[in-house]
Amino acid sequence: MASIDNEVAEDYFPLVRIYKDGRIERLTGTATVPPSLDSESDVLSKDVVYSPEENLSSRLYLPKLIAGTNQKLPLLVYFHGGGFVVETAFSPTYHNYLNSFVSQLDVIVVSVDYRRAPEHPLPIAFDDCWTALKWVASHVHGNGPEEWLNSHADLGKVFFAGDSAGATIAHQMAMRYGEEKLAGFDLLGIILVHPYFLGEEPVGDEVNVTAFRELVGRIWRFAHPATSGCDDLLINPGADPNLAKLGCSKVLVTVAQKDMLKHRGRFYYENLKKSGWSGEVEIMEAEEEEHVFHLNKLSCENSVAMLQRIASFMSVHPKSS
């Protein structure tokens, strides 16, 4: 007879399992790598605490050639994905991706680590990310706690980006920025890569993927036990009556053809256009690709095309490979 230690209480494969003894087993996204000078990309990285109270850090990325100069670069604040329950800003997946991103686009990146469910249920992750943004804003006069941001971040050219659940966070941070403002930087745009958005009523071809919708809905309720459900505006922003208050002037939404979340990305895109928001929204679809394909296929044709589109969106010039 199996011991209670090995009896599964809740299974959210492929992300996490909860055992009857209370143990949490993350099935992916547990590996970490230290910051470094990456020999392939020539990008420097380091970890910096943004919340001493909670001992939370961000990983910063800077092109090595910029270090020691006074050159200012656009700033991208990045929020990692993982369904709010797996992955960190320090995983090899995100470390490798952002090294490549920074090398190609010549920007400075703050990759935010936030507390994850179920130990820290939502909306804690959203609050952590807002704390990180306030920390970024503290560098507006060049006398903040982090020298890389003081010397190299152009706080007049700030973008938020994220993939999957990180895209959900990026949108919500832009909404909060629009409603509360945050003296210290100008948010120009947000980049939502394969956003993890939901809704109770199916849109597009979601009616044909009932099992998938049930799984992603279960993960959402697991991460946010106090939620009202899949029409909670934290996860269904396409239905938000205040969508026009989004606090930036442009949005790029990317979706993937073989990703069932693509329907929600399109729904958001269409509703943002109709909301009365005064900015410009673009959408890009990668053919024959799965959810967050770009993280593990950095040099494939569709990943390169997406990076070029992001470069254009941010008005920076990608290096030729």
Side-chain angles (χ1 to χ4, degrees), residues 175-226:
M175 287 297 297
R176 192 162 176 177
Y177 178 86
E179 292 170 1
E180 299 182 25
K181 297 304 177 188
L182 192 59
F185 63 74
D186 293 324
L187 177 63
L188 299 187
I190 60 174
I191 302 155
L192 309 182
V193 179
H194 310 165
Y196 175 29
F197 296 153
L198 302 176
E200 294 292 350
E201 295 299 320
V203 297
D205 289 338
E206 284 183 343
V207 67
N208 298 320
V209 288
T210 304
F212 173 81
R213 293 184 69 243
E214 180 181 339
L215 173 62
V216 292
R218 284 180 64 231
I219 292 170
W220 166 246
R221 289 185 289 272
F222 171 65
H224 191 2

Side-chain angles (χ1 to χ4, degrees), residues 46-230:
K46 65 176 173 180
D47 296 339
V48 181
V49 173
Y50 69 82
S51 174
E53 297 80 8
E54 302 296 344
N55 193 30
L56 295 172
S57 298
S58 292
R59 180 159 291 182
L60 276 58
Y61 295 84
L62 182 73
K64 181 187 175 186
L65 290 176
I66 302 304
T69 75
N70 292 318
Q71 184 175 345
K72 298 281 189 177
L73 301 173
L75 171 65
L76 179 79
V77 182
Y78 195 89
F79 307 101
H80 71 80
F84 305 104
V85 297
V86 298
E87 288 290 0
T88 70
F90 317 119
S91 78
T93 297
Y94 287 99
H95 185 69
N96 293 338
Y97 173 67
L98 290 173
N99 273 328
S100 175
F101 187 102
V102 169
S103 173
Q104 294 294 313
L105 268 58
D106 271 348
V107 297
I108 183 170
V109 168
V110 174
S111 179
V112 179
D113 201 52
Y114 51 84
R115 288 173 290 176
R116 301 167 303 177
E119 299 95 330
H120 304 284
L122 293 174
I124 287 174
F126 295 104
D127 293 336
D128 288 346
C129 291
W130 187 249
T131 297
L133 293 177
K134 290 193 288 186
W135 176 82
V136 169
S138 73
H139 296 80
V140 62
H141 298 300
N143 59 357
E146 173 45 48
E147 189 54 37
W148 279 9
L149 296 184
N150 289 333
S151 298
H152 303 299
D154 183 346
L155 296 182
K157 295 180 180 177
V158 177
F159 295 83
F160 299 164
D163 64 279
S164 197
T168 314
I169 293 172
H171 164 80
Q172 294 299 339
M173 293 303 99
M175 287 297 297
R176 192 162 176 177
Y177 178 86
E179 292 170 1
E180 299 182 25
K181 297 304 177 188
L182 192 59
F185 63 74
D186 293 324
L187 177 63
L188 299 187
I190 60 174
I191 302 155
L192 309 182
V193 179
H194 310 165
Y196 175 29
F197 296 153
L198 302 176
E200 294 292 350
E201 295 299 320
V203 297
D205 289 338
E206 284 183 343
V207 67
N208 298 320
V209 288
T210 304
F212 173 81
R213 293 184 69 243
E214 180 181 339
L215 173 62
V216 292
R218 284 180 64 231
I219 292 170
W220 166 246
R221 289 185 289 272
F222 171 65
H224 191 2
T227 185
S228 59
C230 291

Side-chain angles (χ1 to χ4, degrees), residues 270-286:
E270 294 293 344
N271 282 17
L272 183 57
K273 284 198 299 182
K274 296 183 292 187
S275 69
W277 175 66
S278 60
E280 297 183 2
V281 58
E282 309 170 21
I283 192 165
M284 177 185 191
E285 180 168 338

Side-chain angles (χ1 to χ4, degrees), residues 275-301:
S275 69
W277 175 66
S278 60
E280 297 183 2
V281 58
E282 309 170 21
I283 192 165
M284 177 185 191
E285 180 168 338
E287 295 184 0
E288 298 297 320
E289 298 290 3
E290 305 278 356
H291 188 63
V292 299
F293 70 93
H294 62 293
L295 294 176
N296 296 307
K297 296 164 62 177
L298 299 181
S299 59
C300 79
E301 183 177 345

